[in-house]
Structures are given as C-alpha cells and as structure tokens.
Amino acid sequence: MNKLLVLTFLLFTHSVASQPILVNELFDNNNNNWYQGKGENYSLKIENGKYHMITYQKDKGRYVTISPYIDSKKDFALEATLIQKSGSNDNGFGLLWGDNSDGKYHDFVITSNGYYKILTPEVGEKLNEWVEYKNIKPMGQPNQLRIEQRKGRLSCSINGELVVETKALPLYGSRIGFICYTDMVLEVDNFIFKHDVKINLPPNLTTGLVKENLGPTVNSIYDDLGPHITSDGKMILFGRESSPDNIGGKEDGEDIWVTKTEDGITWSKSVNMGPPINDKESNNLAAISTDNNMLLFCKTDGFQIRKRTKEGWTDPQYLNVRFNNESKNMEGNLSPDGKAILFTSKLKSNLYYNAATDSKEKDIYVTIQDDQGNWSEAVNLGPQINSAGDEISPFLAADGRTLYFATNGRPGYGSYDIFMSKRTGSSWTQWSEPVNLGPEINTTGFDAYYTISAAADYAYMVSDRNSIGASDLVRIKLPQAIKPDPVVLLKGRTLNAKTKEPISADIFFEDLITRKEVGEAISDPKSGSYRIALAKGKNYGIRAEAKGYLSVNENLELASVTEYKEVDRDLLLVPIEVGGTILLNNVFFVQGRAILKPESFPELDRLVAIMNENPSIKIELGGHTDNVGNKAALVKLSEDRVVAVKAYLESKGIKKDRISGKGYGDTQPIAPNDTNENRQRNRRVEFKITKA
C-alpha cells in the first residue's frame, strides 16, 4: 500500500479569463517536459539552468521539440540563446519549428565558424543555402537566434540583427525546439515562444494546483493509461501497455488493470482484471457505468457491453447501432443515466470532413437510447464543441451536462488540451463556449483522458512528468471554476423486503413532474448493491424491478441541492404473495385534501400495470395520516384519499371487485409524530395483497 506522491509543477499564473500563449523556459525545472535521456548518439539533460545536448557522432545530429498549440494563420515568435561548448564548428545548430510526425520541418541554424542557413522543404530565395555572416560569435560564446512570422512574412535574426526576411513558411505541425547537425556539446537557455492567440480560460480560475502521482503500488515502469474512476471514487480501472504481466505478455497491446481505495488516499496494488475482460489482444475500456455493473467497450464501428453476473461478466454483446467510422480508433463515454453514449469518430457528417486524412479530425457524437432500448443514429454535437481539428476522449460528468474533452483544434498550451463545456438546454447540440482547463492541468505536450468521480473533488489523468515509468496515473484537486454541478449519489442495496436477502434488480428513476424516465441502472447480482447519480433540481421517483416481486418505490426531492452528498437507501422488493404490503411513497395529495397531485400518476400507473400483469391479484388500499388534527377528521381524510386512489385505478380499467380500501387515520404510525419528516412518513397510502 502506498500514499500519493506529491509532485508540484507550475507553468503559468493568471487572473483573467483569457491569455496569449507564452512559453518562457529558463530551464530551472522541466515545466515544459523537455526530453531527457540517453541514446546511441546523444545525451540530453537539464542541469544548472540550461538544457544540455551532447551528440557523439560526426554528421549525425539530434533535434528536441515540445508541442504548444499553434494557429498557422496567426503571428508567432521563437527565440533562444545557444552556446556551442565543443565539437565540430562547421555544422549547424539552432531553432526548429513547424515539425510534424512525418519529419517535415524548418530550421534556422548557425555554425560557430560564421555561417547561417534556413533549411526547409520549401523552395525560395535565401533558403537552403549557407550564408557567411561575421557577427556570429565563436565557439564558447552565446548566440541569440530569433525567428518571427508576422503578417505573412518570416524574419530571422542573429544577436538582435535581422539577417533574413522572406515569405512565411507553412507549418506542417506544431512542434518547436532546437537542433544540432553533428557531434557537439550544446547548451540552450532562455527559450521563448510567443503566439498571438488568446486562450479562453474560466473566470476566477485559481492557481497553485498540485498533481499527485498515485504511487508505485498503482503505477508501473510501463505505460499506465486511460483511467476510469467509479462514481463513488473507490476504484480505478485503467490500461497498461506492453507489460509482461498482461495476458498476452509484452506483445499484448493493452490490458485493463484495477486499483481500489477505502479512504481516497491509500490505493491498493494494481492487479490485472484477467479473463474474460482481458485476452491476448489489445483490450480498451471506454467506460464503466455509474452503478459499476456494466462495462462499455468501443470498437471501430460500434460498441460492446459486458454486464456483471453472479459468476463474473457476460460475453461481450454489440449494441444495436453501427457507424461507418473512417478512423482507425474510436473513444466513448457512457452518460451517468445510461441513456446516451458520447463518442469520437470520423464520419461523413463531421463538420470539417476530409477524406484524405486517416485517423485525424474526429468529431464528438452522441447516440441516444429510446424507450424500447434502441440506440439512435449518430448526432454531431455541433460547432460549439467540434472544431476543424481533432476531438478526442469525451467524458460526461455525473451531472449529465458538463462535458470534458481534448482537442488540438482550439487555442491551448500543447498539442492537445482538455476543455470543459456545459449543455445549455435539453438538446445535445446546445453547449456553452468551451473553456481551457488552464496551464496547471494542460501542458505543452499531449493532455487528454480525464475522469472524475461523482464527488468531483479530484480529476484523474495521465502524465509522463516525474513518472515512475513511461506514463503514470496522477490526480489534481479541482478548483470550483472547472467543477461540474453538484449531484447526489444515491446508493444502497436491492433487498427482499421479507428476508432482507439481496436480489438482482433493474432500477429505474424518473422525473415525477414530467413523468419521464430519466435513467436506469442494475444492481450487483451477488450483493444487490447499486449506485445512481442524480442531478439537482428535480423530484425523483426510484424503483427496483425483479420478476416475482413488487417494488416499494422511493422518492427524492433535490430542488435545493447546493453541494455533493451521498444518500444511503435500500430498495425493498416485496414477494407477490398474500399479506405482502407495499408503501406507495410517490402518491401525493394537496395539503389537507383528498385531491391527487400529478406527481402521483406515474406511481399509480405502475400499480395499474402490476395488476394487469397479474390479473388474479386483489388488493386492499390503506390510507394513513399523522396525528395533527381532530381524530374523526383524520379518519375521514384517510378514507377520502383511499377513495381517490381507488377511483383513479378504476378509471384506468381495473375492476372494482379487485380493490377494497379502508382509512386508518393516525392509528397505525410507522414513525413517531415528533418531526415534520416523521409526520410526512406517516401521511401515506399503501396496499396489501389480499389474493395472489
């Protein structure tokens, strides 16, 4: 067992809602994640406030880059101070920019014996030729190089003097850095990158955030990737690449591993989930359901799910929706209510579809489940979310409306940054302007795959900074400015009301005002445990269903929720047998009267359905009150309310001879009449099975 390792790295400070991109690297730490290490021809390290490049073989060099966001249509400037300490003095070292994964880039280099050159795949005047220049300082002395691309023109300076001005060069990619062509010892200092692009930041975003490594019991020397935390924050499922402990060994692309915690501080040793979840192929988890009893996997053309059983997990089953995805991969996330899947894909309905690119330029889509369990065609989230770039790793928070995603298509700090947006209406295409999560979450590299529990106290992600291995799982305490709305995590067990033994059940929750089902879950077949995340502002009805049982429905009023909380409530299921009594928790009356409120109709409609499904059942309705008021009046009120419920059932086609009733007034309390809450519990209607 191991507590979190605290690793602090601060990149910028800010107090406004937007800021220009600026990298000001003094090499007093490694905030920008410059590569350090050794190879056959090089040694790279940060030491004494400088970046040291040592290359050993003549005519064989090395370049090093970071990947800040760059908009090719906007102006930028890049500069650094370089000192060649030793080695060949007749070959280049200098700045590099516009690099992409195919190895196309430009560089502006000098030699210690007095020459400069702009090397580029492009053709033009003053390009790709060595030019002698007397103001280059010799070996051992600092030379400042600067490039600036402004209003379609490129200018290059040495030690403050302009040496080249030409047309702007195209940017093949966003990587920038420095390069040397041959054997030498090179020191780099005062690396600065400025870009005239504003980053959209949340207002009042605090600084001083700390990334905490989850420690060596969780992380390994291999790539630990893609965390998915359960809604209660007690377990993380994540991928591990190329580990000898994967089912397929080192040749296995990725297996799913798991770690658990009781206190949120100490995490258990991570273990491989084993078969059938993992096999010798690459196993990529997309999401774990809020109830923790279903796993979602993305395939390139659709989705597969596994459900928990008493024996383990079901075989993977495809959902009834497929897409003509032109990307090599697809990522997804399950909404907290289980009714929607957000996913990234390259479809012809992409906003900026480009048939020539392979796996780039994915958009975020949603597919929605209808009342019959069918999934809709893909719906593009629209231009408020999707850009001309590539969107990846969508994550919908427990409030069902706060979306976190990564993209390289919006101004940020690195090649991919994490952004946040909120749904502003009921449509999946209505979103607020996305905001960047800031420079203490995002870096000058690749940032994505972000997950939070229902409590939204910490965000979990991947980082290769100060890592135990290649990439590690880390967490960061979330400031209020980038948190989702608070929710209530309802949890408990589904139990036999008579024996209190756990029952496997389907759980449904609905908005009692709109009478619409707003989500579903399943309980653990072994323990009966369940979890549901409920957004604020609604009055919910919750019920569990299992064959051979009647559900005692619960209600939860969340109109006044202002912060996250957890509510424990077991859901009872009554066996269908004579004598079984069911409390109708979601039947409501006008205060002091026998008039049903509309919120009661969903509960009573389910009672109608139960009686239609079980035509031999007969019931007795019982009306009850608290002890406030005249005894005779209370009995009369309870009798009148029974009559009102009976009349509603009969209006829905239930025969009169199947329903009897009685008003008991305050004579059968189920709680002391000492508080408003307890008196509310005593004001109730229930039914008893008199014939099964």
Side-chain angles (χ1 to χ4, degrees):
M1 307 287 281
N2 192 73
K3 292 191 175 181
L4 299 175
L5 304 177
V6 179
L7 305 172
T8 306
F9 33 90
L10 306 181
L11 184 59
F12 302 91
T13 60
H14 49 84
S15 58
V16 295
S18 67
Q19 64 175 192
I21 297 173
L22 171 66
V23 176
N24 189 357
E25 180 63 87
L26 302 178
F27 298 108
D28 52 354
N29 51 41
N30 196 15
N31 283 339
N32 292 305
N33 206 28
W34 295 100
Y35 178 73
Q36 299 185 81
K38 295 182 178 181
E40 179 182 351
N41 180 47
Y42 64 87
S43 174
L44 308 170
K45 62 181 178 179
I46 292 176
E47 188 175 82
N48 299 323
K50 294 181 176 61
Y51 190 87
H52 297 258
M53 296 181 67
I54 304 173
T55 49
Y56 304 114
Q57 299 178 27
K58 190 171 180 62
D59 300 325
K60 188 174 183 181
R62 171 82 188 188
Y63 69 83
V64 182
T65 62
I66 57 174
S67 300
Y69 174 86
I70 300 180
D71 184 339
S72 61
K73 298 177 182 178
K74 302 289 186 178
D75 297 336
F76 68 90
L78 177 66
E79 65 180 62
T81 300
L82 303 101
I83 305 174
Q84 183 184 357
K85 305 290 287 188
S86 65
S88 301
N89 70 350
D90 60 352
N91 221 326
F93 61 90
L95 301 175
L96 174 149
W97 74 101
D99 181 36
N100 68 3
S101 57
D102 296 327
K104 291 181 69 175
Y105 56 86
H106 318 291
D107 56 52
F108 174 42
V109 293
I110 61 174
T111 65
S112 290
N113 65 347
Y115 290 83
Y116 71 81
K117 177 169 68 171
I118 298 176
L119 182 66
T120 172
E122 304 299 312
V123 176
E125 185 181 357
K126 301 179 182 178
L127 301 177
N128 298 307
E129 295 181 1
W130 287 110
V131 178
E132 188 173 7
Y133 183 61
K134 63 180 180 179
N135 289 334
I136 295 174
K137 296 178 182 179
M139 188 177 300
Q141 295 188 34
N143 285 281
Q144 184 193 57
L145 302 187
R146 176 182 172 87
I147 66 166
E148 183 173 6
Q149 196 152 298
R150 186 173 181 81
K151 295 182 179 180
R153 302 293 293 174
L154 174 71
S155 60
C156 300
S157 302
I158 301 174
N159 297 322
E161 297 182 4
L162 180 67
V163 295
V164 174
E165 184 175 10
T166 185
K167 66 178 182 180
L169 298 176
L171 297 180
Y172 311 117
S174 65
R175 297 176 185 174
I176 60 174
F178 25 86
I179 187 170
C180 64
Y181 287 177
T182 187
D183 60 309
M184 67 174 63
V185 174
L186 181 67
E187 290 181 356
V188 185
D189 197 5
N190 298 323
F191 182 87
I192 297 174
F193 170 68
K194 296 179 181 179
H195 194 17
D196 293 338
V197 175
K198 299 292 185 181
I199 301 174
N200 187 29
L201 295 171
N204 305 314
L205 181 59
T206 56
T207 59
L209 306 181
V210 177
K211 283 184 178 175
E212 303 168 314
N213 191 297
L214 295 194
T217 58
V218 175
N219 293 305
S220 69
I221 62 173
Y222 307 100
D223 270 315
D224 296 304
L225 305 166
H228 302 275
I229 193 165
T230 52
S231 58
D232 63 357
K234 300 296 187 183
M235 182 168 65
I236 299 174
L237 280 65
F238 64 96
R240 178 169 293 169
E241 287 187 347
S242 305
S243 167
D245 296 321
N246 284 355
I247 298 299
K250 288 186 176 182
E251 302 304 315
D252 188 338
E254 183 177 329
D255 272 7
I256 302 168
W257 291 63
V258 61
T259 179
K260 299 179 181 179
T261 184
E262 290 297 327
D263 57 10
I265 299 173
T266 302
W267 291 85
S268 67
K269 182 174 178 58
S270 55
V271 296
N272 190 301
M273 288 193 73
I277 300 300
N278 292 317
D279 55 28
K280 293 183 179 181
E281 303 299 322
S282 185
N283 307 108
N284 298 309
L285 179 67
I288 182 168
S289 60
T290 303
D291 57 37
N292 195 27
N293 293 316
M294 186 178 76
L295 301 178
L296 177 73
F297 300 85
C298 278
K299 301 298 180 181
T300 57
D301 61 344
F303 309 97
Q304 289 182 343
I305 60 169
R306 290 180 184 265
K307 292 185 177 181
R308 194 186 297 273
T309 69
K310 287 185 177 181
E311 293 74 33
W313 295 93
T314 62
D315 291 335
Q317 299 173 318
Y318 265 102
L319 298 181
N320 59 341
V321 59
R322 296 291 181 92
F323 310 105
N324 185 23
N325 178 25
E326 296 183 17
S327 172
K328 292 179 180 178
N329 52 69
M330 185 170 75
E331 305 135 337
N333 178 246
L334 186 68
S335 65
D337 60 13
K339 293 291 189 179
I341 299 173
L342 289 96
F343 64 99
T344 61
S345 194
K346 183 180 177 182
L347 308 179
K348 290 186 177 179
S349 52
N350 272 29
L351 296 186
Y352 302 90
Y353 177 75
N354 186 341
T357 59
D358 183 11
S359 60
K360 297 294 180 68
E361 299 170 9
K362 297 197 296 285
D363 277 3
I364 302 177
Y365 290 83
V366 65
T367 175
I368 305 159
Q369 189 182 44
D370 64 20
D371 293 340
Q372 287 72 48
N374 297 314
W375 294 87
S376 72
E377 293 295 318
V379 176
N380 191 297
L381 295 196
Q384 200 71 356
I385 296 296
N386 292 312
S387 70
D390 191 26
E391 276 69 44
I392 61 173
S393 68
F395 176 82
L396 191 66
D399 64 359
R401 60 186 296 265
T402 304
L403 174 67
Y404 300 90
F405 65 99
T407 181
N408 63 1
R410 295 178 180 274
Y413 299 95
S415 58
Y416 283 79
D417 274 15
I418 303 171
F419 289 78
M420 179 186 77
S421 177
K422 291 179 181 283
R423 286 175 72 189
T424 57
S426 59
S427 169
W428 285 96
T429 58
Q430 295 174 311
W431 298 90
S432 66
E433 180 67 22
V435 292
N436 188 293
L437 297 194
E440 293 173 343
I441 289 180
N442 292 312
T443 69
T444 53
F446 176 92
D447 297 288
Y449 304 103
Y450 174 101
T451 183
I452 58 177
S453 68
D457 47 358
Y458 286 89
Y460 293 79
M461 63 198 79
V462 174
S463 175
D464 58 3
R465 290 186 175 185
N466 301 302
S467 59
I468 294 167
S471 293
D472 286 353
L473 305 190
V474 301
R475 76 175 190 176
I476 189 165
K477 191 171 182 62
L478 284 183
Q480 189 62 41
I482 54 176
K483 280 189 175 186
D485 293 338
V487 300
V488 169
L489 188 66
L490 180 66
K491 55 193 180 73
R493 296 179 299 165
T494 51
L495 302 173
N496 184 314
K498 189 174 182 180
T499 67
K500 298 301 187 288
E501 293 180 351
I503 298 174
S504 176
D506 295 319
I507 303 165
F508 302 90
F509 43 110
E510 62 192 351
D511 184 332
L512 292 177
I513 301 299
T514 63
R515 302 175 61 182
K516 290 184 178 180
E517 185 179 297
V518 293
E520 60 183 75
I522 56 177
S523 62
D524 187 309
K526 281 187 177 181
S527 66
S529 64
Y530 76 92
R531 290 193 294 273
I532 301 171
L534 299 173
K536 66 177 182 178
K538 294 180 180 179
N539 187 12
Y540 291 95
I542 300 103
R543 73 184 189 278
E545 292 185 358
K547 189 174 182 180
Y549 292 86
L550 301 178
S551 173
V552 177
N553 298 344
E554 298 285 345
N555 69 76
L556 205 62
E557 173 60 62
L558 302 183
S560 60
V561 171
T562 58
E563 60 183 19
Y564 171 79
K565 67 177 181 178
E566 297 182 2
V567 174
D568 289 291
R569 190 167 296 182
D570 291 339
L571 301 179
L572 303 180
L573 294 106
V574 178
I576 299 178
E577 57 187 30
V578 173
T581 300
I582 308 295
L583 182 62
L584 297 174
N585 280 319
N586 295 333
V587 172
F588 308 98
F589 294 91
V590 174
Q591 179 70 35
R593 303 181 67 182
I595 300 175
L596 286 166
K597 288 185 175 182
E599 301 97 290
S600 307
F601 300 157
E603 180 97 311
L604 296 177
D605 289 344
R606 277 191 297 276
L607 179 53
V608 170
I610 289 170
M611 297 189 73
N612 286 333
E613 292 166 3
N614 300 272
S616 64
I617 281 181
K618 292 185 178 182
I619 64 171
E620 178 193 275
L621 295 169
H624 303 270
T625 68
D626 59 27
N627 66 349
V628 179
N630 178 273
K631 300 292 184 181
L634 293 176
V635 171
K636 180 67 166 59
L637 177 61
S638 63
E639 289 175 344
D640 289 345
R641 287 179 169 177
V642 165
V643 170
V645 173
K646 188 172 185 293
Y648 184 89
L649 299 179
E650 290 173 359
S651 73
K652 297 295 183 177
I654 304 301
K655 293 181 179 179
K656 293 182 179 181
D657 63 356
R658 297 182 63 192
I659 314 167
S660 60
K662 184 176 181 181
Y664 293 92
D666 67 342
T667 62
Q668 296 183 5
I670 58 174
N673 283 291
D674 54 356
T675 65
N676 287 333
E677 183 179 4
N678 281 337
R679 285 191 288 273
Q680 174 65 42
R681 292 179 62 195
N682 288 328
R683 298 192 294 267
R684 69 196 191 277
V685 175
E686 58 191 19
F687 73 89
K688 180 170 63 177
I689 300 174
T690 58
K691 182 178 182 299

